[in-house]
Amino acid sequence: MRFDLTKDQRALRDEVRKFTKEEIEPEAKYLDREEEYPSAIFDELSERRLTGVTLPEEYGGRGEGPVELALMTEELSAGLMSVASTIGLHLGVAEVVERFGTELQREELLPEMASFDTVGALGLSEANAGSNKLEMETTAERDGDEWILNGHKQWVTNFLDADYVLTYAKTGPKEDAPHNISAFLVPTDDFNVETVWETLGANSVKSPRVTLSNVHVSDDRLIGEEGEGYVQRGGLQTGVNVPARGVGIARAALEDTVAYTSSREQYGQHISDFQGIGWEVGKMAERVDTARLLTLRAADRADRGHDVTREFSMAKINATQAAVDNASEAMQLHGGIGYTTEHDIERYLRDAKLLTIAGGPNEGHKNTLAEAVFEQHDD
């Protein structure tokens, strides 16, 4: 079986790779160290219509699918993971509006979401509803033609620079779960920022804890069917951005290691000439290729309308762990200098660890994968 990129897919990949090398990589270290938001980078991505890469052309997007999203995300993440995560989560919100919103909502929101003039963030996880989102405590009670929302969201990436939060809240009794959670597009101005977390990595784009206190939201900000918001998330395709981010970091760590070991000399030879070093670098390359193939397989099957529960979990587990393992090995092979901020290796490691937790911890995906494997066997 062949899996080869089309001419247009290669062109997109090469476009984003060139942009990343010229516009992101020179600024990445500074943005991370100073915890500065990469607004100029997002402006440039908007100019190229990449902030709406998966949105239909009729709304100003590029009309691409999950494979193209995975390719773009890998390239952006190789430069700075926070850029890739912001775009991926924004497109995830836009996908919900596109697939489950009304025609009026799509016409109003999607053109400005494609251009990044209206930015979406995701409000799903809570302090007591991490892996098990059905335990969320945020509520939305109907009051005439409005809803009154109360609660909090624990990790809202890009909240400080977003316009709306796609907020999930309980609208029905517990016994109706999972058909008791609805999605609302709530302006960021209606939230209170409770905590701006100091985190190990992903420093240039913050993910604060925010609260809602008797916030009134009009009924036209309900996205999708009442009570079906959480269920509808199961069919989203933009989740492939998480393993794709892992592929990007794993590849960046490999490329930096090849360059360093090929130039660093010890005992009268380049350290890449030592067999042990070569084997480790080869293993790093194997991780990258495996992670990319699994990610693109999940993306391709999603693009063709298949259920990708099994493929997505497998890609997520493999690619995010590959990012951690490659970043850790890269630091080891760089020696002491890899532990400093002189190189990007320490940032790769800090950012990579988040990916084993974000999008659902890998342990949860291992359960999902196992269940899918046994279910397939029973069939």
Side-chain angles (χ1 to χ4, degrees):
M1 181 180 70
R2 290 184 59 191
F3 184 89
D4 198 11
L5 300 181
T6 67
K7 180 180 178 181
D8 289 342
Q9 288 169 340
R10 290 195 300 272
L12 174 66
R13 180 199 62 192
D14 294 346
E15 175 191 354
V16 183
R17 182 171 296 184
K18 184 174 186 291
F19 174 82
T20 298
K21 288 192 175 297
E22 293 178 354
E23 304 294 337
I24 300 180
E25 290 183 6
E27 301 296 326
K29 193 177 299 184
Y30 169 82
L31 292 169
D32 178 75
R33 182 178 64 245
E34 300 300 322
E35 301 186 2
E36 184 171 314
Y37 189 71
S39 55
I41 291 172
F42 292 131
D43 289 343
E44 287 290 332
L45 289 170
S46 171
E47 287 292 321
R48 297 165 182 263
R49 295 168 59 220
L50 291 169
T51 50
V53 67
T54 55
L55 292 177
E57 293 183 70
E58 64 184 289
Y59 298 115
R62 292 178 61 150
E64 306 290 4
V67 172
E68 289 80 6
L69 176 61
L71 294 170
M72 182 183 83
T73 301
E74 175 187 333
E75 299 304 327
L76 294 176
S77 189
L80 184 61
M81 196 275 289
S82 292
V83 171
S85 64
T86 298
I87 297 298
L89 289 166
H90 166 74
L91 288 171
V93 174
E95 184 187 1
V96 172
V97 175
E98 178 199 346
R99 293 184 58 185
F100 308 117
T102 65
E103 183 57 38
L104 184 62
Q105 289 169 335
R106 290 193 290 269
E107 290 177 355
E108 175 194 353
L109 295 164
L110 292 182
E112 290 207 342
M113 295 189 81
S115 64
F116 215 61
D117 291 308
T118 293
V119 179
L122 177 62
L124 183 59
S125 294
E126 298 180 5
N128 296 319
S131 299
N132 184 6
K133 302 299 189 294
L134 297 181
E135 295 298 321
M136 69 173 59
E137 298 164 356
T138 298
T139 60
E141 297 183 1
R142 186 181 282 279
D143 182 21
D145 60 354
E146 291 186 325
W147 296 85
I148 302 176
L149 274 67
N150 286 281
H152 80 280
K153 294 300 170 184
Q154 183 87 331
W155 315 105
V156 187
T157 299
N158 201 38
F159 174 88
L160 300 178
D161 291 272
D163 299 290
Y164 290 99
V165 177
L166 185 64
T167 306
Y168 288 82
K170 284 187 174 177
T171 53
K174 185 174 183 179
E175 55 266 27
D176 289 346
H179 303 281
N180 66 337
I181 295 174
S182 303
F184 301 86
L185 212 54
V186 182
T188 51
D189 290 343
D190 288 343
F191 290 81
N192 292 314
V193 178
E194 184 175 305
T195 304
V196 179
W197 305 103
E198 292 295 325
T199 54
L200 178 67
N203 290 324
S204 59
V205 178
K206 297 299 182 181
S207 302
R209 174 186 166 113
V210 296
T211 60
L212 293 157
S213 180
N214 292 321
V215 170
H216 289 248
V217 177
S218 61
D219 198 43
D220 64 2
R221 284 299 179 255
L222 171 69
I223 308 295
E225 297 180 45
E226 179 182 340
E228 299 302 317
Y230 183 69
V231 174
Q232 289 172 334
R233 286 197 63 80
L236 299 184
Q237 298 179 338
T238 47
V240 75
N241 86 87
V242 181
R245 281 186 260 163
V247 178
I249 293 177
R251 194 195 84 210
L254 168 64
E255 291 175 348
D256 286 11
T257 301
V258 170
Y260 181 77
T261 57
S262 297
S263 61
R264 170 72 166 166
E265 291 189 6
Q266 290 288 279
Y267 301 103
Q269 62 183 14
H270 293 124
I271 63 174
S272 59
D273 293 332
F274 290 102
Q275 186 181 62
I277 301 293
W279 285 4
E280 293 302 326
V281 172
K283 182 64 178 178
M284 293 172 70
E286 179 186 327
R287 292 190 191 108
V288 173
D289 283 11
T290 304
R292 182 185 292 116
L293 288 169
L294 287 172
T295 300
L296 290 178
R297 181 184 68 167
D300 179 60
R301 286 181 60 79
D303 199 22
R304 290 186 282 123
H306 295 291
D307 177 5
V308 292
T309 301
R310 180 181 185 272
E311 289 81 3
F312 173 70
S313 285
M314 191 179 292
K316 202 277 184 182
I317 295 163
N318 184 278
T320 59
Q321 190 60 50
V324 174
D325 292 344
N326 269 18
S328 180
E329 189 61 47
M331 182 174 289
Q332 192 70 24
L333 295 181
H334 275 70
I337 199 68
Y339 193 66
T340 72
T341 57
E342 184 72 18
H343 287 263
D344 295 318
I345 304 303
E346 55 86 30
R347 172 168 54 84
Y348 297 156
L349 186 56
R350 288 186 286 108
D351 286 355
K353 189 56 190 172
L354 170 63
L355 297 178
T356 66
I357 304 168
N362 282 4
E363 290 76 11
H365 281 281
K366 289 176 182 179
N367 288 338
T368 300
L369 174 59
E371 291 167 5
V373 170
F374 280 105
E375 181 177 336
Q376 187 178 48
H377 175 77
D378 291 341
D379 291 343

